[in-house]
Amino acid sequence: MSFMEPFRIKTVEHLPNPTREERLKLLHESGYNPFQVKDKYVTFDLWTDSGTAAMSHHQWAAMLETSEGCISPDSFDTFADTINRLTGFPHILPVHQGRAAEHILFSVLAEPGSTVFSNTMYITGRANAELNGAVVVDVPSQQVEGGDFNGDLDCVRLQEELRRVDVGKSMVVMTLTSNNQAGQPVSMANIKHVSEICKTHDVSLFMDGCRFAENAYFIKTRTKVYRDVSARDIALEMFSHFDGMYMSAKKDGLCNIGGFFATRLSDVYGQFKRRMTYTEGNPSYGGLSSRDLEAVAVGLWEGTDDRYLKYRIEILAMFGDILKKAGVPIVEPVGSAIYINAARCLPHIPTEQYPAWALHCALYIEGGIRCSHVHDVLKVDSTNKREDPQPQHFIRLSIPRRTYTLSHLIHIGDIFKNVLEKRGSISGFCIKNSSGHYFSAVMEPVRKCFVG
Ligand code: F0G
């Protein structure tokens, strides 16, 4: 076997290990809502890959070596130099996380009458564009069963749409990898095509690049001509087709906080720079401490290293294989996270009884696993009926970077196997109190004993 984690472990965090009885009690007390269970009672937290990476000794060392409280910190130079080397963009501004960059960028570029097109826009990006009066239109490509680049944007539709809107007020944002398309990557050919269309229509093109390094590595492994090109060089080529980007460094930046905006458009840079002082801080720190800037600089460099990315992409694929062997229906090929069709796992639970919710609760009881829901959200009207009568039932398993080992993932595969073996005993759920958001929803199993 050629796979191995390319690091050794220096600091250990003990896994929380409540008993099954304790988990049953905790889940009951939390209104059968795993999002309400305290982190200290969750053994495997696969809710997000954002801000959850294990940092390296180089990151911690750089954080200690810098000093705080300067108006013009050296750490900003390290930060900006690293981002400039990785992206080629000349203008760089720090922010505290991805949505802060979205908030400022759309307050600069979006207005009533604007349309923002995307392969799929992340929820916070959508919300920030809409806050400024823009309409967000997703134009994802048709999903091809087993396709290598199911995160692509539909260029034919984009061209049609651009003919119908005020192009002077419109823009395109490509999300790499595409979180809302099961974490699937975008191809270089698609990036080039979208860029040509944007140039023809004189529309700016930005990247939501929080998983750009993983996208670059997917291009390396799934496109013949890029086999021998490094992920960093592929990324540079990707960026050359964009006017700018924003990034939450909490993902591929291997950091617990941080982000940035980078661009070649000096007017947008100037406006962003002016706006950010009202909400984030000076352009030399943007809501971050010097130590955070250092952690991002080192994290970005490590997160774009081919040896690290090989491990990252391989462990995701191997986890997919482990789950498939356990009989779990996953979206293939695996992208930046694992997506599971919960309705196919629990075919006896009807749509109106939230099969993804039921699977999530069963996984917590069986093995202390927390995941996130993608489509099975609790949108109800006053009659307690679903807004969407035909919802999908996907669950996302995000793998925090450099955090869980392969043996953890094998163990999680066993938990899935146990859950599926007793699937008939798992009950559906109804809403006791939705309170408008699934984070705080109170649920109730339809049957008294909800899992065997
Ligand atoms: N864009 C994408 C594609 C994201 O996935 C996220 C966050 C953001 C922007 C916002 O970045 O959290 O730093 O403000 N995604 C997390 C997730 C929360 O779990 O997928 P942020």
Side-chain angles (χ1 to χ4, degrees), residues 47-50 97-100 102 122 124 175 177 179 208 210-211 246 248-251 258 396 398:
W47 176 53
T48 186
D49 63 333
S50 179
Q97 63 180 81
R99 65 199 70 185
E102 293 160 356
Y122 187 66
T124 54
T175 307
T177 55
N179 201 348
D208 174 346
C210 60
R211 298 181 183 86
Y246 53 86
S248 163
K250 296 168 72 176
K251 285 88 171 165
R396 183 185 77 172
S398 292

Side-chain angles (χ1 to χ4, degrees), residues 1 3 313-323 406 409:
M1 187 168 90
F3 174 84
I313 300 305
E314 280 182 2
I315 203 166
L316 282 163
M318 288 167 80
F319 186 36
D321 288 341
I322 291 165
L323 291 172
L406 182 57
L409 301 182

